[in-house]
């Protein structure tokens, strides 16, 4: 999977830098071209000579070559890369990356890189557990960077705990998995709905719900990262899609969402209905703001909204995959299965509002994936992005 891939290997100043030599070797053995970028302090731990001999390329560390004045372009490097791996990543470099402190070649290259970035932290257990480090790592995650979690074991300090850089083999396997997955939906068209719908009462008021769109956006990002062309029909949310292969269509009401979905669904290979669609809408929204003065308490007559998932389910052609979500508070399994059948879904992802960390607004979710054949798999608490990955894994033909 790494054949011909351009990989920037960023090395920072930690004891685990000795493992970077092995990592470079393994990447090259897997077919990659490796360009090493070192921070000044990394050179205290492993020499540029070792790294350039292993990779067959001069190591880049400074902005300029002192004697010739030749400029090393972090921009060119960033564009050259198919992936950037920072291993080991010290607390210091992680902090600089999280906050854009571009005072060395490695961080400027990181800021210029358009390719996916993998970060393998390595530090003492207390540094690793410090709220500053965890906040910085969370920030990197929120930028879409991949964190290769350190292992637990004996550390350079002779203390035992979490902070050991993952073994080079594990890091290479992560990269291979990433590139394999990045192909898995190549050529596929994926339709995703996300967020709430707003149903107009009058020009300034609406019926809505607490959905933030995080789960649907995570699915759209994950599908795009796997090579799909994604249409994301989104209700009003505060978040933005990042991947260039995602086309966002902003809508407000369930009716608008249905219209956009009906336009996109005939071309879609996979559709994931993640939106929290309002069940009812005011029958006759007022043209003008409903005034409080001199009025009796108004009555809002509601009408049923279209069921988008069920409508698409009725139009589904062989080969198309339709996935729904169920957010239940009671009788979860029975209700989810009933929904799957009624809407003609191939799979339904059940999240229970009773589970801590699951549901509206959180960054994590706990899903149970139930397929049309009745098989189910219960996923543990994980980030919405990881849950999105597992959901897409579950419908890939190999699984
Ligand atoms: O029936 P219920 O709202 O619980 O079903 C949830 C599933 O159906 C979700 O996948 C949701 O996106 C979808 N849905 C829809 N249109 C509606 C109501 C729900 O697409 N009007």
């Amino acid at each position: 999977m790494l054949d011909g891939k351009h990989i920037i290997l960023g090395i920072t100043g930690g004891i685990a830098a000795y493992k970077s030599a092995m990592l470079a070797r393994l990447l090259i053995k897997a077919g990659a071209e490796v360009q090493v970028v070192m921070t000044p302090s990394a050179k205290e731990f492993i020499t540029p000579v070792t790294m350039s001999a292993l990779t067959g390329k001069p190591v880049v560390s400074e902005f300029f070559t002192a004697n010739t004045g030749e400029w090393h372009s972090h921009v060119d490097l960033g564009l050259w890369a198919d992936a950037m791996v920072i291993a080991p990543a010290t607390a210091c470099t992680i902090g600089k990356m999280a906050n854009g402190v571009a005072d060395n070649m490695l961080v400027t290259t990181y800021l210029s890189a358009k390719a996916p970035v993998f970060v393998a932290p390595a530090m003492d257990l207390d540094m690793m557990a410090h709220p500053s480090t965890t906040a910085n790592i969370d920030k990197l995650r929120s930028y879409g960077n991949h964190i290769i979690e350190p292992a637990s074991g004996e550390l350079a300090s002779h203390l035992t705990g979490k902070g050991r850089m993952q073994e080079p083999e594990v890091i290479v396997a992560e990269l291979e998995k990433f590139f394999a997955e990045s192909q898995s939906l190549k050529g596929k068209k994926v339709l995703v709905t996300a967020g709430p719908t707003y149903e107009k009462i009058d020009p300034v008021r609406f019926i809505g719900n607490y959905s933030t769109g995080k789960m649907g956006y995570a699915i759209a990002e994950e599908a795009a990262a796997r090579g799909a062309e994604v249409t994301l029909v989104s209700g009003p949310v505060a978040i933005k899609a990042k991947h260039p292969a995602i086309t966002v269509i902003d809508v407000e009401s369930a009716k608008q969402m249905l219209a956009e979905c009906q336009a996109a669904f005939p071309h879609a290979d996979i559709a994931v209905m993640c939106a929290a669609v309002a069940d009812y809408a005011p029958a006759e929204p007022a043209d003008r703001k409903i005034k409080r003065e001199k009025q009796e308490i108004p009555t809002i007559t509601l009408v049923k909204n279209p069921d988008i998932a069920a409508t698409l389910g009725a139009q589904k052609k062989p080969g198309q995959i339709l996935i729904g979500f169920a957010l239940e508070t009671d009788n979860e399994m029975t209700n989810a299965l009933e929904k799957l059948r009624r809407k003609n879904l191939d799979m339904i992802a059940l999240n229970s509002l009773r589970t801590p960390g699951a549901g509206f607004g959180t960054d994590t979710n706990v899903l149970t994936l139930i397929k049309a054949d009745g098989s189910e798999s219960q996923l543990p608490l994980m980030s919405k992005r990881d849950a999105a990955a597992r959901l897409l894994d579950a419908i890939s033909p190999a699984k």
Side-chain angles (χ1 to χ4, degrees):
M1 280 328 282
L2 299 185
D3 205 25
K5 293 279 184 259
H6 293 170
I7 296 183
I8 296 174
L9 173 55
I11 308 176
T12 71
I15 290 289
Y18 77 92
K19 291 188 191 170
S20 307
M22 183 54 84
L23 178 56
R25 249 182 68 75
L26 290 178
L27 289 170
I28 288 166
K29 262 176 89 176
E33 237 182 275
V34 178
Q35 172 65 60
V36 171
V37 179
M38 292 170 95
T39 61
S41 64
K43 291 190 269 183
E44 307 284 343
F45 292 87
I46 187 161
T47 72
V49 177
T50 306
M51 297 313 301
S52 69
L54 286 171
T55 59
K57 284 181 193 296
V59 165
V60 176
S61 184
E62 314 298 336
F63 292 110
F64 296 93
T65 303
N67 54 350
T68 62
E70 185 197 350
W71 182 52
H72 301 135
S73 169
H74 53 88
V75 178
D76 289 351
L77 256 182
L79 294 176
W80 172 84
D82 295 307
M84 180 169 186
V85 189
I86 297 143
T90 55
C92 173
T93 291
I94 288 171
K96 287 182 183 179
M97 288 163 66
N99 295 290
V101 182
D103 69 346
N104 64 36
M105 191 65 190
L106 191 149
V107 182
T108 46
T109 305
Y110 163 72
L111 293 177
S112 307
K114 290 217 161 107
V117 177
F118 296 79
V119 182
M123 64 195 80
D124 193 51
L125 75 161
D126 293 314
M127 293 174 78
M128 188 68 211
H130 195 281
S132 157
T133 310
T134 47
N136 284 332
I137 289 179
D138 284 347
K139 260 193 181 174
L140 295 186
R141 262 201 203 97
S142 76
Y143 305 155
N145 299 163
H146 304 262
I147 307 297
I148 303 176
E149 287 289 339
S152 290
E154 197 189 335
L155 303 165
S157 59
H158 302 299
L159 296 172
T160 303
K162 186 174 172 184
R164 281 171 67 89
M165 185 178 100
Q166 275 298 356
E167 294 307 321
E169 290 79 3
V170 175
I171 296 173
V172 172
E174 286 272 340
L175 282 168
E176 284 179 330
K177 183 168 158 260
F178 171 82
F179 282 113
E181 280 179 358
S182 71
Q183 301 297 310
S184 66
L185 291 179
K186 211 173 172 67
K188 300 276 183 218
K189 291 198 164 68
V190 176
L191 167 66
V192 181
T193 65
T197 62
Y198 284 1
E199 310 298 337
K200 221 175 222 165
I201 298 171
D202 70 13
V204 295
R205 303 181 181 94
F206 58 85
I207 297 174
N209 59 66
Y210 292 123
S211 170
T212 56
K214 284 181 179 173
M215 190 67 232
Y217 274 65
I219 291 169
E221 295 288 349
E222 183 63 28
R226 293 175 179 216
E229 205 182 298
V230 180
T231 302
L232 174 58
V233 183
S234 173
V237 294
I239 50 177
K240 296 232 170 317
K242 296 190 190 111
H243 200 290
I246 302 174
T247 305
V248 181
I249 301 177
D250 290 309
V251 296
E252 209 174 270
S253 66
K255 266 193 187 154
Q256 292 167 348
M257 189 174 270
L258 174 67
E260 296 297 345
C261 286
Q262 280 191 301
F265 188 59
H267 317 286
D269 299 289
I270 300 165
V272 187
M273 304 285 100
C274 203
V277 184
D279 290 326
Y280 302 99
E284 284 173 28
D287 303 339
R288 295 174 185 203
K289 186 179 171 191
I290 301 170
K291 291 270 196 303
R292 184 160 43 134
E293 300 88 28
K294 289 183 247 144
Q295 270 225 1
E296 291 178 12
I297 296 174
T299 306
I300 301 168
T301 308
L302 300 176
V303 287
K304 231 174 172 196
N305 260 338
D307 188 321
I308 302 165
T311 310
L312 301 189
Q315 296 166 355
K316 194 170 70 174
K317 302 239 160 33
Q320 284 186 306
I321 298 174
L322 182 61
I323 302 170
F325 271 74
L327 186 68
E328 301 292 336
T329 53
D330 50 81
N331 271 333
E332 287 121 331
M333 273 319 243
T334 320
N335 289 341
L337 262 174
E338 183 275 325
K339 239 164 244 184
L340 179 134
R341 306 249 181 270
R342 179 163 45 86
K343 301 186 190 215
N344 194 24
L345 307 174
D346 298 283
M347 186 167 83
I348 193 157
L350 166 68
N351 44 12
S352 166
L353 265 184
R354 281 191 301 200
T355 317
F360 284 141
T362 59
D363 290 320
T364 53
N365 214 348
V366 182
L367 296 182
T368 306
L369 303 176
I370 306 156
K371 290 194 178 171
D373 62 9
S375 64
E376 58 174 84
S377 72
Q378 164 85 62
L379 306 182
L381 179 75
M382 58 179 77
S383 70
K384 284 189 169 166
R385 181 61 186 260
D386 286 344
R390 299 291 292 273
L391 180 137
L392 293 175
D393 283 348
I395 52 153
S396 72
K399 306 272 152 92

